[in-house]
Amino acid sequence: MESKKLMIVTVSLGSGGLERMVANIANKYIEKGWKVCILALLNPEGNVFVKLDKEVVHYDFKDISSAFASSFEKARKTKKWIRFIRQHICDFRPDCILAMTIKIGSMVVIANKKYKSRVVVREISDPKSKARNQLVNKICFHFCKKADGFIFQTEWEKSCFPKKIQNIGMVIPNPVVLKTNAIEEKRKAIVTMGRLLNFQKCHDVLIKSFAMFNKNYPEYKLEIYGEGPDLEFDQKLASKLNVTNNVIFKGACKNVHELIADASCFVITSDFEGLSNALLEAYLMGIPCITSDWPGAKEVVTDGVDGLVVKRGDINGFANAMECIVGNKDKASLFSKNACNNMKKYDAEIVFESYFKMIEGI
């Protein structure tokens, strides 16, 4: 009997949470005996940071265009992407296609029109964030109504979509695959993980908050794990605030969970997220967590119960929250314990079963 086939269409195979999610799903389907093909639309150099099973095949769209491309150039590239996806659907003939953003989902629906593979789209961010063009959203909604299924990460995401899409979708939290738990003996380190992109992740807010915190706790370090276009800006900001020696830019690390396991606190200062893998991973490892109040954050962290939730952009608030956690070991320990009690909700095996049912239409 011929193996079933899954195609995943995504952005890249780099070091982010989305990429780890893609790798986990691909590897799980290899375990199920399926053939798996990944198309990466923004991975022109073919870099693979995540760990993929050797049986997973992937193809990278090679065209590179300017970040400041005109509307015409973007439209032309979209047509090229659709042809790229259509050609691989023709060659691979997947039973199911998982599209990892609504823009990609729209292109997959168009490319798949002739071939009729089952299409499931996954939302990855806040549909109402300042990063989203609402006209583009409406266009994407139009095409995604024709998908066979839809995966939302949070109830907030689901509420932002038209009823027709809500009716074909379900909320499935991100599965968390961890091999490391927090260590009781703590280093004097505040940590974060995420792409260095201040427009979304707001590491500039974190550095300013840490600089305030550091005046009272000069022995602490801030470790930032991740890469991105705002690295130089953030380094200059740390220098300007006289915390260069205490703010450490660690880059992308494959063993990041082992490196942060003994951290005193994890902080995420994002302006918007879908459902942050970095936050979930730190939270379920048992590291005391502080998060900004992006829509959906409170679906993970309950303020004062299993972590702290701070108003977005509140520099004083984040500094005070760090002081609250490092200055009160009993409270930090309680946050960790209560967070770990939620492990079942994000248990990888349970969540993957929900993914399988949606992807396969069971």
Side-chain angles (χ1 to χ4, degrees):
M1 183 176 176
E2 188 177 356
S3 299
K4 289 193 172 184
K5 299 176 183 179
L6 171 67
M7 174 179 285
I8 303 175
V9 189
T10 188
V11 179
S12 78
L13 293 170
S15 60
L18 172 63
E19 289 81 358
R20 291 196 295 276
M21 181 74 187
V22 168
N24 288 335
I25 294 171
N27 294 341
K28 279 292 179 182
Y29 267 95
I30 292 294
E31 290 178 14
K32 282 166 64 75
W34 286 47
K35 293 181 180 179
V36 179
C37 168
I38 298 175
L39 306 185
L41 303 185
L42 289 172
N43 201 45
E45 296 178 5
N47 297 325
V48 179
F49 186 89
V50 293
K51 187 175 181 180
L52 289 175
D53 188 284
K54 64 181 180 181
E55 296 297 322
V56 177
V57 296
H58 68 92
Y59 301 94
D60 305 291
F61 185 76
K62 300 297 184 182
D63 186 29
I64 304 174
S65 62
S66 169
F68 304 101
S70 67
S71 297
F72 174 76
E73 289 170 326
K74 288 178 180 178
R76 187 169 62 177
K77 187 166 186 177
T78 298
K79 290 182 179 179
K80 289 181 180 179
W81 273 332
I82 292 170
R83 286 198 295 270
F84 175 76
I85 295 166
R86 183 184 291 124
Q87 183 60 56
H88 284 285
I89 292 174
C90 176
D91 294 341
F92 189 63
R93 295 300 175 98
D95 296 276
C96 308
I97 306 173
L98 176 61
M100 298 305 285
T101 73
I102 66 167
K103 287 183 182 179
I104 291 175
S106 301
M107 293 187 288
V108 168
V109 167
I110 295 169
N112 183 56
K113 187 175 181 180
K114 178 181 175 181
Y115 300 100
K116 308 299 183 184
S117 301
R118 176 175 172 82
V119 175
V120 175
V121 182
R122 179 177 179 264
E123 175 59 281
I124 67 164
S125 191
D126 175 4
K128 293 187 177 180
S129 77
K130 62 186 180 183
R132 297 282 279 267
N133 181 307
Q134 294 308 308
L135 174 59
V136 173
N137 263 4
K138 288 182 179 180
I139 295 170
C140 292
F141 291 166
H142 170 74
F143 287 105
C144 286
K145 288 175 186 176
K146 300 175 184 178
D148 299 287
F150 213 98
I151 296 171
F152 308 99
Q153 297 175 103
T154 64
E155 293 291 344
W156 162 257
E157 284 182 355
K158 183 177 180 180
S159 72
C160 298
F161 280 78
K163 288 295 183 183
K164 283 188 177 180
I165 295 180
Q166 292 187 35
N167 290 341
I168 61 170
M170 65 185 297
V171 176
I172 307 177
N174 296 352
V176 178
V177 180
L178 292 173
K179 297 181 180 179
T180 305
N181 292 319
I183 297 171
E184 190 170 341
E185 190 67 30
K186 303 297 186 185
R187 281 187 301 121
K188 292 182 177 180
I190 309 293
V191 300
T192 192
M193 298 184 284
R195 184 165 168 75
L196 299 179
L197 189 66
N198 291 333
F199 181 73
Q200 178 189 5
K201 303 295 185 179
C202 304
H203 288 109
D204 52 339
V205 171
L206 176 56
I207 293 167
K208 290 174 184 177
S209 301
F210 177 77
M212 292 183 64
F213 161 84
N214 209 217
K215 290 176 182 177
N216 295 326
Y217 294 87
E219 70 277 20
Y220 275 77
K221 307 288 187 184
L222 171 63
E223 297 176 354
I224 300 175
Y225 292 84
E227 298 174 337
D230 285 331
L231 172 60
E232 186 177 350
F233 177 92
D234 291 341
Q235 288 173 327
K236 288 180 178 178
L237 178 60
S239 176
K240 180 180 178 180
L241 296 173
N242 297 314
V243 288
T244 298
N245 293 332
N246 290 67
V247 178
I248 316 300
F249 294 90
K250 306 289 283 188
C253 302
K254 293 195 175 185
N255 62 333
V256 65
H257 297 140
E258 289 84 353
L259 295 172
I260 68 171
D262 57 354
S264 295
C265 177
F266 175 91
V267 186
I268 177 172
T269 48
S270 296
D271 188 65
F272 59 93
E273 290 283 348
L275 181 58
S276 168
N277 278 53
L279 173 62
L280 278 179
E281 289 161 2
Y283 174 84
L284 294 174
M285 283 175 66
I287 301 172
C289 289
I290 300 167
T291 178
S292 52
D293 63 344
W294 41 270
K298 292 180 181 179
E299 293 181 40
V300 181
V301 177
T302 301
D303 185 40
V305 176
D306 49 15
L308 294 174
V309 180
V310 177
K311 184 179 179 181
R312 282 170 283 181
D314 186 351
I315 294 169
N316 289 329
F318 281 109
N320 292 336
M322 288 182 231
E323 290 198 18
C324 177
I325 286 180
V326 304
N328 190 328
K329 292 185 178 180
D330 289 340
K331 182 173 284 190
S333 179
L334 179 63
F335 288 168
S336 298
K337 180 181 177 181
N338 289 342
C340 289
N341 287 339
N342 291 322
M343 177 65 81
K344 189 173 181 181
K345 178 180 178 182
Y346 303 100
D347 179 81
E349 296 307 316
I350 295 173
V351 175
F352 279 130
E353 281 301 318
S354 297
Y355 263 85
F356 298 158
K357 290 176 181 178
M358 176 57 77
I359 292 170
E360 298 165 42
I362 300 172

